Amino acid sequence: MRNLSAVTEFILLGIPHTEGLETMLFVLFLGFYIFTLMGNLLILLAIVSSPRLHTPMYFFLCQLSVCDIFFPSVSSPKMLFYLSGNSRLISYAGCVSQLFFYHFLGCTECFLYTVMAYDRFVAICDPLRYTVIMSHRACAILAVGTSFFGCIQATFLTVLTFQLPYCGPNEVDYFFCDIPVMLKLACADTSALEMVGFVSVGLMPLSCFLLILTSYSRIVCSILQIRSAEGRRHAFSTCSAHLTAILLFYMPVVLIYLRPTPSPWLDATVQILNNLVTPMLNPLIYSLRNKEVKSSLRKVLHHLGFFPEQL
C-alpha cells in the first residue's frame, strides 16, 4: 500500500449532533461494551466447559462470540477514550487499522452467518448424514474459510480507500474511520472508487443473504413436512435465534452502505447499534431459548460464585 498523503493523523469528530452529551454517552457506551464482552465470554465458557455442546452448531457459535468480542473493540476503546475528555487524534496507521479490522470482522461474520445457515440446513434436511457432512475437518475448513475470505474483502476495501492521496483536511466527521467518511477527505476524484466500493460492499452481503435465504427456504419446506407439532416446534426453535441474529446483522449494513443518500446522524446511530448493541444481544438471543446453553451457563456462573447450583 503506497502512502501518497501529507496527512499523518486524523481528528475523529465523533457522533454528529451530540455536543455536550459526552459524559452520558461515555457511561452508556461503556455499559454496552462491558456487557458485550462479558456476555460473549460467558457463552464461550459455557460451550467450552460442556462436552454436550461440542457440536458443529456450537463450534460456529463460539467463532461468532469471538468476532463479537473483537468487532466492537475496533472502534469502542478509542471512542470511549475521547468521550472521557482525552485527545481525538488518531494516527494514519491507526485509521488504516480501524478500517481494515472493522471490515475484516464484519465480513467474517457475514460469511459465518452463511455457514451457520448451511449447518442448520444439513441438520434439518439431511440429519442422517449430518455428522458425515459436518465433520471436524469440514468445520475447520469452513471456519478458516470465513476468516480467509473476510481478510481478502477487507484488504481490497482498505487498499481501495487508502491508495488515495490525503493531503488536505484531516477531520473525520464520524466516531471511527470508515469508507464513506474517509473518501470525503481524499484529494482526488472518488466517484469511480465510490461505485466500486458500493458494488463490493453490496455484492458480498447480498450473495451471502441469498445463500441464507435459499438454505432457510429448504429448511421451512422440510419443517412443514414434519408431522408432529412438537417436532416442528423444536426445529423452528433451533433456527429462530439464528434468523433473529441475521436480521439484526443485515439491517444496519443495508441502512449504512446501500442507501444512495447518506445521513451522518442516522448512519452513526445505526452504526452504534451495529457495533455495540447487536454483539451485546447475540449472547441473549442464542441462550434464552436454548436449554442446553442455559444449563451450561448456570454451571459456569455457579463455579464463578454468582448463583447457587439449584438455580
Side-chain angles (χ1 to χ4, degrees), residues 52-273:
R52 290 184 306 165
L53 301 181
H54 294 176
T55 63
M57 182 175 76
Y58 295 109
F59 170 72
F60 294 125
L61 181 55
C62 268
Q63 190 181 3
L64 180 65
S65 291
V66 171
C67 286
D68 280 341
I69 288 170
F70 286 105
F71 187 61
S73 300
V74 172
S75 59
S76 297
K78 181 62 180 177
M79 178 176 65
L80 292 171
F81 183 74
Y82 66 69
L83 283 176
S84 62
N86 293 291
S87 173
R88 293 174 178 265
L89 289 176
I90 183 170
S91 68
Y92 185 93
C95 202
V96 173
S97 298
Q98 270 197 343
L99 192 144
F100 171 79
F101 283 107
Y102 176 79
H103 286 278
F104 166 58
L105 293 163
C107 293
T108 299
E109 279 205 32
C110 190
F111 291 129
L112 187 57
Y113 281 123
T114 310
V115 168
M116 293 172 78
Y118 175 71
D119 171 71
R120 292 299 82 207
F121 163 72
V122 176
I124 292 172
C125 299
D126 200 358
L128 297 179
R129 298 179 60 229
Y130 178 69
T131 54
V132 177
I133 296 173
M134 300 303 292
S135 63
H136 292 303
R137 182 172 179 272
C139 289
I141 291 172
L142 289 170
V144 172
T146 59
S147 297
F148 176 74
F149 288 109
C151 183
I152 289 176
Q153 175 78 351
T155 301
F156 170 72
L157 293 173
T158 305
V159 172
L160 187 75
T161 303
F162 286 98
Q163 56 88 29
L164 293 167
Y166 290 88
C167 51
N170 68 338
E171 293 185 339
V172 179
D173 192 17
Y174 215 40
F175 63 96
F176 77 106
C177 299
D178 198 11
I179 295 171
V181 289
M182 295 309 298
L183 290 180
K184 292 178 182 178
L185 300 180
C187 304
D189 180 22
T190 62
S191 54
L193 291 176
E194 284 175 5
M195 183 56 65
V196 172
F198 179 84
V199 171
S200 178
V201 172
L203 190 60
M204 186 273 294
L206 179 62
S207 302
C208 291
F209 184 75
L210 290 176
L211 289 171
I212 292 170
L213 194 62
T214 302
S215 294
Y216 272 98
S217 298
R218 297 286 301 276
I219 288 170
V220 169
C221 291
S222 295
I223 290 175
L224 293 176
Q225 292 174 4
I226 298 174
R227 294 187 177 182
S228 69
E230 182 64 29
R232 286 196 298 270
R233 192 180 306 111
H234 177 72
F236 271 121
S237 68
T238 61
C239 299
S240 60
H242 186 227
L243 283 172
T244 304
I246 287 169
L247 289 174
L248 287 173
F249 177 82
Y250 275 97
M251 284 190 296
V253 173
V254 172
L255 288 172
I256 295 167
Y257 296 106
L258 302 183
R259 286 186 300 113
T261 53
S263 167
W265 186 85
L266 178 62
D267 288 350
T269 304
V270 174
Q271 195 78 272
I272 289 290
L273 294 175

